[in-house]
């Protein structure tokens, strides 16, 4: 196998349980948008539900509908809609839908009438993120109109919610401001006659650091996958979380080269002496960030190596110095650290980005191999695209 992203479903379940413990008064929503941050939405969604997540969260309606098509039946919220979105299909499939403005409310009402079934709606207020969400000036109009539609029986307002801008920077003044704005929005909704089942505001960093933001439901994505939302907050271990993804490859070539040999496009690395070069068959097409050229860490032959020269589309090189390895030997880019390998956060630092982007961008060309460190995987327990489970990872 050229390369694989090994996903430990036991880690996903353990993370959900650890996160639930930190928000004991709230229900947990496992956010599985963008194919569960690259980990596989169907398998991770199922694992999260097994560990006690009554809710799943998706950004796009097609993500939510794909979960339904795969047999998921629990509560499922979907929040990133554009005009003409498949509201009717979402309502038929019992997907909770987010509404951030009057245009969306009108479309939901029309779609619910069309399919003859009440929609479950979460009204979103922009408390300061400045992204999606209803501006506070229009909130009274939106909540009043939603209440009227509810009284008619065409929808139920199941949630009122918002999203933080700087929850990963504890003490940032916007946090208190957003909390206060959210309380105001809840009061306006109540005055309009709404009695939402769940009020929700917290993402992973707020779940970990801000109990007063937990309300009835916490929406946690990155924590479920065992990646830290921010190195300043702490490591996954600090929060009792375990990275679920290991990205590894088999060396495609190992060869001796003389001193002064240029390596990879642009010759940004030149061998300082006679040495051994190992070729890792993963590149930016697989989601290994080109920005980490000359910087990304890889465990090969028992030591951390640094990417030598540029990361190309399909491959990059590491300099083994005086060490030896055989073609086919493992190169581990990141994982939970059991074998001393780097973390996704290490790659984020090397590429000037965040751990979220590292795991989410691992490409389609890299097969996901599911293992379960609690229960050994069975031969028949494979999803589409899995190629091998024998051995798994220790
Ligand atoms: C992605 C997302 C989340 C999850 O954020 P994490 O930081 O990964 O926990 C929660 N809510 C919304 C609206 C999101 O888009």
């Amino acid at each position: 196998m050229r390369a694989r992203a090994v996903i430990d479903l036991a880690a996903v379940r353990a993370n959900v349980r650890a996160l639930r413990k930190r928000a004991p008064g709230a229900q947990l929503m496992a956010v599985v948008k963008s194919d569960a941050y690259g980990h596989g939405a169907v398998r991770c969604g199922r694992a999260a539900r097994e560990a006690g997540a009554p809710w799943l969260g998706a950004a796009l309606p097609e993500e939510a509908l794909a979960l339904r098509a795969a047999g998921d039946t629990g509560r499922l919220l979907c929040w990133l809609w554009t005009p003409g979105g498949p509201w009717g299909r979402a309502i038929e499939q019992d997907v909770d839908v987010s509404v951030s403005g009057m245009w969306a409310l009108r479309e939901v009402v029309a779609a619910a009438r069309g399919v003859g079934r009440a929609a479950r709606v979460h009204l979103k207020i922009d408390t300061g993120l400045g992204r999606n969400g209803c501006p506070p000036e229009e909130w009274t109009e939106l909540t009043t109109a939603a209440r009227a539609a509810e009284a008619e029986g065409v929808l139920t307002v199941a949630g009122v919610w918002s999203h933080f801008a700087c929850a990963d920077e504890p003490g940032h003044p916007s946090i208190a401001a957003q909390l206060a704005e959210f309380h105001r929005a809840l009061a306006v909704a109540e005055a309009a006659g709404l009695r939402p089942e769940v009020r929700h505001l917290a993402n992973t960093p707020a779940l970990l650091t801000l109990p007063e933001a937990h309300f009835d439901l916490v929406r946690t994505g990155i924590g479920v996958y065992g990646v830290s939302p921010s190195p300043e907050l702490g490591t996954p271990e600090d929060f009792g979380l375990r990275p679920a993804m290991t990205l590894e490859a088999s060396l495609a070539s190992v060869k001796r080269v003389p001193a002064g040999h240029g390596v990879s496009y642009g010759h940004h690395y030149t061998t300082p002496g006679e040495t051994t070069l190992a070729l890792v068959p993963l590149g930016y097409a697989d989601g290994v960030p080109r920005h980490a050229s000359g910087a990304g860490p890889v465990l090969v032959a028992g030591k951390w190596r640094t990417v030598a020269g540029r990361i190309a589309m399909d491959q990059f090189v590491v300099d083994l110095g005086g060490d030896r390895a055989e073609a086919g030997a493992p190169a581990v880019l990141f994982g939970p650290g059991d074998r001393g390998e780097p973390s996704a956060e290490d790659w984020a630092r090397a590429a000037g980005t965040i751990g979220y982007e590292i795991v989410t961008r691992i490409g389609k060309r890299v097969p996901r191999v599911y293992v379960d460190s609690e229960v050994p995987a069975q031969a028949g327990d494979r999803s589409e695209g899995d190629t091998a489970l024998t051995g798994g990872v220790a």
Side-chain angles (χ1 to χ4, degrees):
M1 208 175 189
R2 170 188 74 110
R4 57 221 154 252
V6 179
I7 311 297
D8 184 355
L9 294 169
V12 169
R13 288 197 304 270
N15 292 336
V16 167
R17 287 192 293 260
L19 292 161
R20 282 177 61 207
K21 274 207 191 110
R22 288 183 170 262
Q27 299 183 59
L28 186 139
M29 174 189 291
V31 177
V32 294
K33 62 190 178 187
S34 194
D35 207 21
Y37 296 36
H39 294 66
V42 171
R43 300 292 291 262
C44 292
R46 199 181 299 152
R49 290 216 191 271
E50 284 164 9
W55 290 80
L56 297 183
L60 310 184
E62 53 266 41
E63 294 173 338
L65 292 170
L67 282 162
R68 288 298 192 236
D72 181 79
T73 54
R75 293 298 287 274
L76 170 58
L77 172 65
C78 165
W79 52 74
L80 190 53
W81 292 86
T82 43
W87 302 103
R89 268 190 291 146
I91 296 165
E92 281 175 332
Q93 294 291 319
D94 206 26
V95 173
D96 286 47
V97 300
S98 177
V99 162
S100 287
M102 288 300 296
W103 72 262
L105 187 68
R106 281 190 285 269
E107 291 202 358
V108 171
V109 165
R113 288 202 179 106
V115 300
R117 180 178 173 150
R120 265 205 309 265
V121 169
H122 295 231
L123 298 176
K124 186 173 193 186
I125 170 89
D126 181 0
T127 53
L129 175 60
R131 215 171 63 176
N132 211 347
C134 178
E137 310 80 68
E138 296 165 25
W139 184 242
T140 301
E141 182 193 6
L142 183 64
T143 49
T144 306
R147 175 63 199 135
E150 190 174 61
E152 234 182 88
V154 73
L155 59 80
T156 306
V157 175
V160 169
W161 73 298
S162 189
H163 194 37
F164 276 117
C166 309
D168 56 345
E169 297 175 53
H172 192 286
S174 68
I175 294 172
Q178 285 197 259
L179 259 173
E181 188 62 47
F182 192 56
H183 280 288
R184 274 194 292 279
L186 289 172
V188 170
E190 179 156 12
L194 297 175
R195 299 293 179 269
E197 167 193 351
V198 284
R199 302 157 299 160
H200 49 110
L201 179 57
N203 53 3
T204 301
L207 184 163
L208 294 174
T209 64
L210 203 65
E212 61 268 45
H214 289 174
F215 294 94
D216 307 307
L217 175 68
V218 290
R219 305 184 308 272
T220 170
I222 200 72
V224 169
Y225 311 107
V227 176
S228 171
S230 145
E232 282 73 42
L233 281 187
T235 64
E237 214 177 358
D238 292 337
F239 299 111
L241 302 173
R242 178 176 165 81
M245 183 189 290
T246 299
L247 179 64
E248 57 189 359
S250 302
L251 296 180
S253 138
V254 179
K255 64 187 178 192
R256 291 295 288 175
V257 295
H261 202 300
V263 174
S264 192
Y265 294 130
H267 277 180
H268 292 282
Y269 182 83
T270 305
T271 54
E274 189 189 340
T275 189
T276 301
L277 297 180
L279 183 63
V280 180
L282 279 169
Y284 61 77
D286 302 298
V288 180
R290 189 170 176 275
H291 262 82
S293 294
V298 194
L299 180 72
V300 181
K303 287 186 203 153
W304 282 31
R305 320 285 173 172
T306 303
V307 174
R310 278 211 183 128
I311 292 167
M313 188 181 292
D314 315 302
Q315 46 195 299
F316 65 85
V317 172
V318 293
D319 185 341
L320 301 185
D323 298 334
R324 299 153 76 93
E326 298 291 329
V332 189
L333 282 77
F334 59 82
D338 299 353
R339 288 176 286 174
E341 71 275 14
S343 63
E345 290 85 350
D346 291 319
W347 273 87
R349 197 172 311 113
T353 184
I354 53 177
Y356 293 76
E357 190 177 3
I358 297 298
V359 292
T360 303
R361 292 185 64 148
I362 299 309
K364 276 208 172 78
R365 213 162 65 154
V366 179
R368 270 51 171 184
V369 176
Y370 291 92
V371 298
D372 202 316
S373 53
E374 287 172 352
V375 186
Q378 301 297 302
D381 183 26
R382 293 184 183 187
S383 76
E384 208 81 352
D386 289 0
T387 355
L389 284 169
T390 38
V393 286

